[in-house]
Amino acid sequence: MTTRVWDYLAEYQTEKADLLDAVETVFESGQLVLGRSLAGFESEFAAYHGVDHCVGVDNGTNAIELGLQALGVGPGDEVITVSNTAAPTVVAIDAARATPVFVDVREDDFLMDTSQVEAAITERTKCLLPVHLYGQCVNLAPLKELAAKHGLSILEDCAQAHGARQHGTIAGSTGDAAAFSFYPTKVLGAYGDGGATITSDESVAARLRRLRYYGMEKTYYTVETPAHNSRLDEVQAEILRRKLKRLDAYIAGRQAVAQRYVDGLGDTELKLPKTVPGNEHVYYVYVVRHPQRDEILERLKAYDIHLNISYPWPVHTMTGFAHLGYQTGSLPVTEKLATEIFSLPMYPALSPDLQDKVIHAVREVLSTL
């Protein structure tokens, strides 16, 4: 049996009755767009995070883009973030017609090196965009201080950190707004695309609602500010509403898988994920590190194990962002990590037998390097 980093079929079989009932609920509701399911999910997702507002959108990229726009970010502005992230983080900044500015990450936990942020602030800086990467939180305390000092906003990228906490505070509840993706692989994943932006600022929430609905507010026929259609689909909203009730169980399942990796691989030369003190890691992906990464991945194919790299190409090295002018060596930690990191299978329904297969194969490959 082919083993990959993610698979939804086992989970689907367990939850099939509830998921199909979710679809039927929407189809029988009489309202297929901006209906009761979306309103219910938005209310419940906001409550889960202890904030006042949630605005469901069509994907995580637009959750960031609309979040930036709702915070007043636009042409000529700069947004400070990291290059060790999924490209959509930066694509969204570009889509908001702002300029991404990169700082490096920390070598031990791969998270934004917040000590580099103040030096990157210019008179054009408008927003700080920390990425809660791989399932745990960036330390937001120093960013809050910098934001207050320089008059900046903070938009948290929580696409990989549903339910993660730092010193008991849940990801997404500290900044001015936070963006989430519900892509199927996520800790809280839909059965298709989906996203949301949360905030406790009423004016930001009002702008978000306009931005996701052509720029309309009171009536379908009047545009306040031109925008696109970025609504979260009613079917996906109802599925997410059902799955939100199981989010804590999903997290516990991921943490159990992570612990089995520690038990099975902790005595090898493979560098396993480090949890920052005070963080509760939800393990969206289980990223490990080894200087002979490429050889390990190739040898694992003989065991029918096919793994991913998150991420093999830092955003600042991509052709699409060459115009930003970053040279090789400008973000040395990010660039080094890109040659060594890879992801082991991680999802709540990963069976102990399949995980044992991965652990056994990795140990065998490591012993022959």
Side-chain angles (χ1 to χ4, degrees), residues 139-190:
N139 181 10
L140 293 183
L143 297 186
K144 288 283 285 185
E145 292 180 4
L146 289 175
K149 178 179 177 181
H150 296 278
L152 309 175
S153 58
I154 297 177
L155 176 64
E156 299 177 59
D157 182 345
C158 299
Q160 303 185 18
H162 307 75
R165 285 173 166 80
Q166 184 172 81
H167 300 297
T169 300
I170 194 167
S173 64
T174 300
D176 298 284
F180 292 81
S181 168
F182 303 123
Y183 187 73
T185 62
K186 303 300 184 183
V187 180
L188 179 62

Side-chain angles (χ1 to χ4, degrees), residues 193-209:
D193 278 316
T197 308
I198 64 174
T199 183
S200 284
D201 188 317
E202 173 60 43
S203 62
V204 172
R207 288 193 289 271
L208 284 166
R209 294 188 188 100

Side-chain angles (χ1 to χ4, degrees), residues 9 24 89 93 112 129 166 210 257 262 284 309 315 368:
L9 292 174
E24 187 173 3
T89 302
I93 297 171
M112 173 185 272
L129 206 170
Q166 184 172 81
R210 288 195 297 270
V257 170
V262 172
Y284 163 58
I309 302 170
V315 178
T368 60

